Amino acid sequence: MLVDGFGRVAIDLRVSLTDKCNLRCSYCMPAEGLEWLPSVDVLTDDEVVRLVAVAVREGVTEVRFTGGEPLLRRGLVDIVARVKALPAEPETSLTTNGIGLAKVAPALADAGLDRVNVSLDTLRPERFQLIARRDRLDQVFEGLAGAVAAGLAPVKVNAVLVRGVNDDEATSLLGWAVAEGYHLRFIEQMPLDAQHGWSRDQMVTAEEILSQLAERFVLTPVGSAERGSAPAEEWWVDGGPARVGVIASVTRPFCGACDRVRLTADGQLRNCLFAREESDLRSAMRAGASDEDLAERMRVAMFGKRAGHGIDDPGFLQPSRPMSAIGG
Ligand code: SAM
Ligand code: SF4
């Protein structure tokens, strides 16, 4: 088992398949992009599947593919199929910006993908251009529709509100999501952008989002039994069955219940989004480590997980890698 010193057990593995992206969301990376990982450092498909298989043998039951933009990874469908074919049949999901999803959704569904989360922060093209710095909103809508058509429903939509750009859009996003049958979740902006531009004063908080939503919807809390260990606090919208979630990682941290572990595209195991240390599984694997050696490295890395992300600690240091390189 991947258990830490506080008794938390990691069962949810986030796998970044690439650090590259075709958008440039302002809360994630600078307009000019980033220096991408050298391709020789990026795990091959076989290496990804091997490390996931080791983690699954260590008790991981859910594998989420992310990035960067995971749809840019050529071997994605094959990786999903091979992970799904592991004896323990882990749940598989994908977090994507949706661009190009319409085309590949049927193949992903055939490969056994269980769920998809699409990130979308605004319904307005001019705002999309401001946040993502690309004019591609229509392709995200196509991606969402394609996912539903391929049977990947219910599709979750993740939205980040950015002060002064789309911070007035909570109610229209929820109205749209309810009408379309998407499960919307708002995510508080975290200090994980490459350009270190996050500030607490500018962040749109869960409290602010909920008070905006309450102007138009009746929200009643979804009980924890129906919510499981998910980080999002959930509310029924106007009595249900639609729900809305808020992932308040900053103002209402849920580190005490964290069950996640992350693998970067270059094969580094991270026990937390905000970890400052990584365990270099790629080098160990390429130097001939056995599956048992790799499992032991995973167990050791997990044991050192800190109690919390410490964003509020005076000594908080943003991790050296941004969200796009860690895998969100
Ligand atoms: N490119 C894919 C996407 O956008 O869904 C997957 C990777 S992206 C890093 C994963 C999620 O992280 C997205 O929902 C995105 O909105 C979110 N994200 C990125 N930077 C963030 C930040 N600084 N704070 C909170 N969420 C962030
Ligand atoms: Fe790309 Fe996702 Fe980051 Fe936006 S949030 S720049 S889509 S990796």
Side-chain angles (χ1 to χ4, degrees):
M1 279 205 315
L2 300 176
V3 61
D4 69 34
F6 300 91
R8 293 168 297 187
V9 179
I11 54 168
D12 177 346
L13 174 67
R14 311 268 153 147
V15 181
S16 173
L17 291 177
T18 176
D19 59 331
K20 292 185 183 147
C21 192
N22 42 11
L23 297 182
R24 296 286 182 272
C25 305
S26 61
Y27 48 75
C28 185
M29 56 171 85
E32 65 277 15
L34 296 165
E35 197 176 312
W36 311 124
L37 289 168
S39 48
V40 51
D41 287 355
V42 174
L43 297 181
T44 64
D45 294 1
D46 287 348
E47 288 172 333
V48 171
V49 174
R50 179 172 172 205
L51 289 179
V52 171
V54 171
V56 167
R57 278 198 294 277
E58 289 303 299
V60 161
T61 58
E62 162 133 25
V63 181
R64 171 170 296 280
F65 297 104
T66 179
E69 178 42 51
L71 292 178
L72 298 180
R73 173 93 185 206
R74 209 172 293 147
L76 172 65
V77 172
D78 189 47
I79 291 171
V80 170
R82 291 170 66 189
V83 166
K84 201 61 202 174
L86 292 170
E89 284 185 47
E91 291 285 297
T92 52
S93 52
L94 180 75
T95 299
T96 170
N97 63 28
I99 295 169
L101 180 60
K103 204 163 148 214
V104 75
L108 286 169
D110 285 350
L113 187 75
D114 294 296
R115 276 181 302 283
V116 62
N117 286 14
V118 175
S119 303
L120 177 62
D121 307 324
T122 177
L123 304 173
R124 305 200 200 171
E126 71 286 1
R127 290 180 170 190
F128 189 90
Q129 168 79 46
L130 275 177
I131 296 173
R133 303 190 179 103
R134 299 285 186 274
D135 180 17
R136 304 185 80 171
L137 178 59
D138 284 346
Q139 290 165 55
V140 181
F141 287 138
E142 281 168 26
L144 281 162
V148 174
L152 291 168
V155 174
K156 287 186 181 167
V157 172
N158 293 343
V160 174
L161 296 183
V162 180
R163 180 75 63 210
V165 183
N166 62 341
D167 52 348
D168 59 353
E169 222 175 313
T171 52
S172 41
L173 276 164
L174 183 55
W176 163 81
V178 170
E180 298 287 333
Y182 303 131
H183 180 174
L184 180 66
R185 289 129 30 104
F186 292 96
I187 308 178
E188 277 182 345
Q189 196 176 329
M190 294 179 275
L192 284 169
D193 56 312
Q195 57 281 33
H196 291 230
W198 181 90
S199 85
R200 181 178 274 279
D201 313 342
Q202 287 298 308
M203 182 188 65
V204 182
T205 62
E207 197 183 345
E208 193 176 336
I209 295 166
L210 288 166
S211 75
Q212 271 192 45
L213 295 179
E215 287 169 17
R216 190 168 137 198
F217 304 96
V218 177
L219 301 182
T220 36
V222 172
S224 55
E226 289 149 298
R227 190 151 67 82
S229 69
E233 288 181 81
E234 296 269 336
W235 287 264
W236 300 115
V237 180
D238 294 337
R243 303 169 169 208
V244 63
V246 181
I247 304 178
S249 322
V250 180
T251 61
R252 301 179 194 176
F254 37 85
C255 303
C258 182
D259 60 4
R260 296 177 179 187
V261 51
R262 291 165 198 273
L263 180 66
T264 65
D266 57 345
Q268 312 296 304
L269 195 82
R270 296 178 66 94
N271 58 27
C272 172
L273 256 183
F274 293 91
R276 292 201 291 276
E277 311 80 35
E278 301 180 333
S279 175
D280 184 2
L281 300 181
R282 183 196 70 220
S283 298
M285 183 165 49
R286 290 184 183 174
S290 67
D291 283 0
E292 181 44 36
D293 293 338
L294 294 168
E296 179 59 14
R297 281 171 189 268
M298 288 183 187
R299 291 191 288 261
V300 168
M302 283 313 295
F303 198 76
K305 179 162 169 152
R306 283 179 296 150
H309 56 44
I311 294 175
D312 286 325
D313 297 349
F316 174 74
L317 282 179
Q318 191 170 325
S320 50
R321 291 204 205 220
M323 182 79 137
S324 58
I326 296 169

